[in-house]
Amino acid sequence: MSPVQTNNLIDGKQTAEDIKAEIAIEVASLRVAGEKVPHLAAILVGHDGGSETYVRNKVLACERVGFQSTLLRYEDDISEADLLAKVNELNNDPEIDGFIVQLPLPAHINPEKVIEAIRPEKDVDGFHPMNIGRMVAGLPALLPATPSGIVELLSRWGIKTSGKHCVVIGRSNIVGTPVSILLAKNLDTANCTVTLCHSRTQNLAEICRTADIVVAAIGRPEFVTADMVRPGAVVIDVGTTRVADANKKSGYTLKGDVNFAEVAPLASAITPVPGGVGPMTIAMLLLNTLRAAKGEIYPKSGS
Ligand code: GUN
């Protein structure tokens, strides 16, 4: 628990619980109607500690809402061709409604090639170029989980976005780039003016200080400091870096991209790490799986 006590926390854990409870109700009614319950599969390659934790939490979350889940584990010497063959098996398995390949992958495997091999209608991570392209075009799509989780969090916490200046720090394909696109969309839950900052941005602190909403997704622990945040701004911290900590049983502490102790007293609202954006990613992944199972975005063949 953070030693800093504030009353401006955006409790992503609670919001994620609410979303999971809503999903569980839908799953229960599918079950009662004798219909197939959604089935999510996850491919995990290797033994990266962070990835193991994420995937374990995803599988546990599936059980909690009544989904079926399958975890497929491979050693980190699996060849790219073998991994692509596994992806293809899942693509063609009618039991599986959606699946993810946990990133990062070992250096000898091209992640873009793997992502492109996933059938868009089963791409519940929303990483496939078809889903990204449809998102950019404003067409129905399976949206990437962390960006849509951020938008959902802002919406459910009543944070006004229309016309606000949002500064996104970090341009990754998983978070920074897609969240900057979503937040700029003409939607009730978005409609921001967005500035996307990255490692080559000049005057980063100055730009951040003009933000009504800061989204920190740069993967550098405690990068955002008090001098970068305007008093009253909303701060969304996407970072989850493991930093060695001999005082912890696990041997590490999870650090966000925001120096919470400095920034929380200034912000009008802030997400903690852990317990902010992280649980929302999982909730949105489950929501995408439910959508995929129902054929909401891409109608199921035969329906
Ligand atoms: N690695 C870090 N975040 C994610 C995610 O949301 N999905 C996948 N597949 N890998 C990740």
Side-chain angles (χ1 to χ4, degrees):
M1 202 31 144
S2 162
V4 182
Q5 298 295 318
T6 60
N7 59 4
N8 56 352
L9 278 192
I10 299 176
D11 184 349
K13 197 163 172 233
Q14 183 55 54
T15 305
E17 289 302 323
D18 294 347
I19 293 169
K20 284 189 276 183
E22 291 159 19
I23 295 171
I25 290 171
E26 275 212 48
V27 177
S29 57
L30 287 174
R31 210 182 273 280
V32 167
E35 290 180 35
K36 176 184 175 305
V37 298
H39 190 165
L40 173 74
I43 293 182
L44 176 60
V45 179
H47 298 275
D48 174 74
S51 294
E52 297 224 7
T53 306
Y54 279 131
V55 171
R56 192 172 51 242
N57 287 339
K58 287 168 186 176
V59 169
L60 280 174
C62 282
E63 288 166 13
R64 293 263 320 280
V65 298
F67 285 4
Q68 263 192 279
S69 65
T70 298
L71 173 58
L72 299 166
R73 297 199 62 148
Y74 303 104
E75 288 304 321
D76 50 18
D77 60 357
I78 186 172
S79 69
E80 186 179 89
D82 284 349
L83 184 59
L84 289 170
K86 301 294 173 193
V87 164
N88 219 25
E89 275 176 33
L90 294 177
N91 277 339
N92 294 321
D93 183 343
E95 278 304 308
I96 304 291
D97 297 294
F99 65 100
I100 63 160
V101 180
Q102 187 65 25
L103 304 175
L105 289 167
H108 66 277
I109 299 177
N110 179 344
E112 276 93 31
K113 210 164 160 182
V114 174
I115 289 166
E116 276 202 81
I118 299 172
R119 272 170 53 180
E121 59 268 41
K122 294 198 178 189
D123 166 40
V124 284
D125 257 331
F127 291 169
H128 190 282
M130 170 81 103
N131 281 313
I132 299 288
R134 290 179 65 93
M135 175 188 74
V136 172
L139 296 168
L142 289 167
L143 297 174
T146 304
S148 59
I150 292 169
V151 172
E152 191 67 22
L153 206 51
L154 292 170
S155 165
R156 290 195 184 222
W157 283 77
I159 292 166
K160 301 248 179 311
T161 49
S162 180
K164 302 291 180 192
H165 183 206
C166 178
V167 172
V168 177
I169 314 173
R171 57 179 156 187
S172 71
N173 286 345
I174 295 184
V175 185
T177 295
V179 82
S180 69
I181 291 165
L182 276 183
L183 284 168
K185 286 263 163 228
N186 185 356
L187 299 171
D188 290 344
T189 51
N191 251 328
C192 293
T193 302
V194 177
T195 303
L196 178 56
C197 297
H198 48 75
S199 55
R200 292 288 177 275
T201 298
Q202 293 178 5
N203 308 325
L204 179 68
E206 202 179 303
I207 295 169
C208 284
R209 278 196 298 275
T210 68
D212 301 304
I213 301 169
V214 177
V215 177
I218 193 173
R220 282 166 61 177
E222 303 190 323
F223 179 83
V224 176
T225 45
D227 60 304
M228 298 166 73
V229 177
R230 185 180 62 72
V234 173
V235 179
I236 305 294
D237 189 348
V238 185
T240 50
T241 307
R242 288 181 167 195
V243 175
D245 184 345
N247 295 321
K248 287 280 171 78
K249 212 169 107 195
S250 60
Y252 68 86
T253 305
L254 214 52
K255 289 267 185 214
D257 286 356
V258 176
N259 184 324
F260 189 87
E262 272 186 37
V263 173
L266 280 175
S268 62
I270 185 166
T271 59
V273 175
V277 173
M280 288 299 290
T281 299
I282 296 183
M284 300 314 278
L285 172 71
L286 298 178
L287 205 51
N288 271 349
T289 307
L290 181 62
R291 291 198 171 122
K294 288 161 70 180
E296 253 181 45
I297 312 289
Y298 303 98
K300 296 237 170 197
S301 52
S303 60

